[in-house]
Amino acid sequence: MEGVSRIESNQYCAPCLFGVEGILADELRRMDAEQVNAQNGRVLFSGGPEMLARANICSRYAERIQVLVGQFPARTFEELFDGVRALPWERWIGKSDRFPVKGWSLNSALHSVPDCQSIIKKAIVERLKSRYHLSWFEETGALYQVQFSLMKDEASLFIDTSGPGLHKRGYRANAGGAPIKETLAAAIADLARVRYAGMVCDPCCGSGTLLIEAALSAMRIAPGIRREFAASSWKAVPPEIWKAERARAREMERRDNQIRLWGGDLAPEMVALARENTRKAGVGERLTAVQADLRRFRPEGEEGVVLCNPPYGERLLDVQAAEQLYREMGKVFVPKKGWSYYIISPHEEFESLFGRPADKRRKLYNGMLKCQLYMYFRA
């Protein structure tokens, strides 16, 4: 095993969108993660290799899962070098493995990212040289992407376990012009309690992301069940762990959940795309997608949940069109017993345009764009 052995316990970091930290922390606790600690833009937790695999396969809200190798003060390049060299890199990285370095620095004396990359790489090499008694590393094996952050002179060193971001579920190779991120869509579905909903509607469905994430959540289908991860080839996480965690995830599925999806969009190509993406996600049979004008939407039936990420623009005419759309939404998203509405928007005057204040609001970030989730559930 080239010096690498199975890791019984380690500390991990799950970066997430701002506003989602509490939801992610609760999810990790339900996964039996230990020492869960929500911080700004990330959640720290601990566990064995099973937890590494489980979090990658099952987390709906994490952007990725990282091994937290260590943290220490670093005000000089000497402190950075010595701190990195003191960390147990051999617990993970084997003799032939690849370990490129990338990262960022903010409000720190060491502000040159290329210089920090070079110092960190050299320190890891020196550590591995002393452990493997080699003078040169071929770096042709499994990928261990080293990531660092320098924040107020505090260095944090990570190894990425996910590879492509966890929002890349595999069902959305194609998307509309302004798609909502899958992890944010999943968080909105959680806040809307779609697991109890019989009907979920999106009158501005676009490529179908909100509807798909609602269905995956209600049916307890693990979002990463169909994809591979960077750590899939790591010696410290044996194949049988991945196999067992995928089996565990499948056992937890509730495909007998009767959730139904309805999506409408003015653009026929978006309707076709929503159908294609729901089919790829394995929930296509739950969807009815039609070309429809939001202004003609009516909440039909005894109960349902409406999730909506209405379009908005940056140019003046686009902003005006979006504002008119918000007014129309206020007319058709009428208070009705058994129905609730969850609308995400960055517009600070949304409620006045919509025509009534939300019953509850929650600040969420769509990437770096500050938004509010406006929740209407009182009849």
Side-chain angles (χ1 to χ4, degrees):
M1 278 209 174
E2 297 185 327
V4 175
S5 60
R6 171 175 164 147
I7 307 301
E8 295 303 326
S9 184
N10 212 83
Q11 191 168 20
Y12 304 109
C13 175
C16 63
L17 294 170
F18 288 107
V20 178
E21 298 92 344
I23 298 172
L24 173 56
D26 288 342
E27 176 188 54
L28 289 168
R29 292 187 186 100
R30 291 194 299 271
M31 290 184 197
D32 298 325
E34 300 173 349
Q35 297 177 303
V36 178
N37 178 18
Q39 301 179 350
N40 284 337
R42 68 182 192 177
V43 178
L44 302 181
F45 63 103
S46 63
E50 294 84 2
M51 184 53 57
L52 182 157
R54 187 176 304 168
N56 271 298
I57 293 168
C58 297
S59 180
R60 302 186 190 282
Y61 318 115
E63 296 301 309
R64 58 182 59 254
I65 305 299
Q66 303 166 318
V67 176
L68 176 56
V69 185
Q71 295 176 296
F72 52 87
R75 292 168 293 273
T76 66
F77 285 128
E78 184 178 4
E79 286 182 331
L80 181 62
F81 182 88
D82 291 343
V84 172
R85 187 175 56 181
L87 297 176
W89 297 101
E90 69 279 0
R91 293 182 68 193
W92 301 95
I93 302 171
K95 295 178 182 178
S96 61
D97 294 329
R98 294 173 287 154
F99 49 100
V101 177
K102 65 180 180 181
W104 52 269
S105 176
L106 186 64
N107 297 331
S108 296
L110 301 179
H111 52 79
S112 171
V113 170
D115 287 343
C116 290
Q117 286 176 296
S118 178
I119 292 292
I120 290 169
K121 181 74 174 187
K122 184 178 179 181
I124 297 173
V125 168
E126 290 303 313
R127 172 76 184 202
L128 296 180
K129 277 183 178 179
S130 69
R131 293 305 187 269
Y132 293 140
H133 307 293
L134 292 173
S135 60
W136 180 76
F137 294 91
E138 61 184 38
E139 294 198 52
T140 58
L143 175 63
Y144 292 77
Q145 177 64 64
V146 176
Q147 298 177 315
F148 70 89
S149 67
L150 278 162
M151 179 69 173
K152 296 181 179 178
D153 297 322
E154 180 80 6
S156 298
L157 277 296
F158 309 92
I159 303 175
D160 173 54
T161 77
S162 300
L166 294 183
H167 69 281
K168 295 186 177 180
R169 322 291 208 201
Y171 63 75
R172 199 175 78 175
N174 300 312
I180 192 169
K181 206 170 189 180
E182 293 89 335
T183 43
L184 178 58
I188 292 171
D190 178 86
L191 291 166
R193 298 168 67 84
V194 297
R195 57 193 176 278
Y196 303 117
M199 168 66 79
V200 178
C201 304
D202 184 353
C204 303
C205 70
S207 58
T209 306
L210 279 164
L211 295 173
I212 292 169
E213 292 299 327
L216 294 179
S217 177
M219 298 168 72
R220 299 185 189 176
I221 299 173
I225 195 70
R226 300 181 178 205
R227 57 162 284 182
E228 295 296 318
F229 308 93
S232 298
S233 59
W234 289 10
K235 297 180 181 68
V237 191
E240 57 267 24
I241 286 181
W242 292 102
K243 183 178 180 181
E245 288 302 323
R246 291 185 193 277
R248 176 186 179 276
R250 290 192 176 95
E251 288 173 3
M252 297 180 71
E253 291 179 358
R254 295 294 180 267
R255 291 186 178 266
D256 57 347
N257 184 294
Q258 297 303 307
I259 189 170
R260 292 174 295 134
L261 311 173
W262 183 92
D265 201 284
L266 272 176
E269 62 272 20
M270 287 295 99
V271 174
L273 189 54
R275 290 172 180 160
E276 178 187 353
N277 288 343
T278 51
R279 178 185 58 78
K280 287 179 180 176
V283 296
E285 73 282 359
R286 307 303 179 102
L287 174 70
T288 299
V290 298
Q291 186 179 359
D293 190 331
L294 179 143
R295 291 173 294 184
R296 293 184 172 85
F297 176 80
R298 299 293 182 272
E300 298 177 354
E302 294 185 0
E303 61 180 16
V305 175
V306 174
L307 307 178
C308 201
N309 174 36
Y312 57 90
E314 295 178 356
R315 296 188 302 272
L316 179 59
L317 289 177
D318 291 338
V319 171
Q320 291 174 338
E323 290 177 346
Q324 182 57 35
L325 181 63
Y326 298 156
R327 295 186 185 98
E328 298 292 345
M329 291 171 67
K331 296 175 183 177
V332 299
F333 291 178
V334 296
K336 182 178 179 181
K337 184 179 179 182
W339 281 81
S340 55
Y341 307 92
Y342 295 78
I343 308 144
I344 187 168
S345 173
H347 201 301
E348 294 183 358
E349 300 299 322
F350 174 86
E351 289 167 298
S352 62
L353 294 164
F354 189 79
R356 60 185 186 274
D359 298 315
K360 191 175 181 181
R361 298 193 313 179
R362 178 153 179 159
K363 183 164 65 175
L364 295 171
Y365 280 77
N366 190 357
M368 296 305 294
L369 182 63
K370 185 175 75 171
C371 299
Q372 292 281 350
L373 180 65
Y374 298 95
M375 312 180 209
Y376 296 88
F377 44 78
R378 294 194 178 104

